Amino acid sequence: MTTMIRATAAELEAQRERLLAEVHMTFDELRDRAESYSLSSDELDVWHTIEGIDYLLNGEC
């Protein structure tokens, strides 16, 4: 059985900010490092999570 997690836009935005604070980077810094393949495995996990959050926030689902 699949698990569904429901979150408001405000909750997703707060999670996004917490994740960026956790890796001590701005979104632009994280994106630039992702594009140059210079993220640690933990940072890469954060990057993928933020990509998913941004997808949800942009209403593309």
Side-chain angles (χ1 to χ4, degrees):
M1 178 180 244
T2 304
T3 301
M4 181 181 290
I5 299 171
R6 295 179 187 257
T8 65
E11 290 169 331
L12 290 172
E13 290 168 356
Q15 180 183 6
R16 187 180 189 279
E17 291 304 314
R18 281 191 307 273
L19 289 166
L20 289 169
E22 182 180 305
V23 293
H24 308 288
M25 286 186 240
T26 66
F27 174 79
D28 291 336
E29 290 169 328
L30 187 63
R31 182 197 60 226
D32 291 347
R33 290 194 53 201
E35 289 175 354
S36 66
Y37 301 98
S38 61
L39 294 175
S40 69
S41 61
D42 289 338
E43 293 166 344
L44 186 59
D45 287 342
V46 167
W47 173 246
H48 289 305
T49 302
I50 287 177
E51 284 183 312
I53 288 171
D54 288 350
Y55 175 82
L56 292 171
L57 289 172
N58 289 323
E60 297 175 4
C61 55

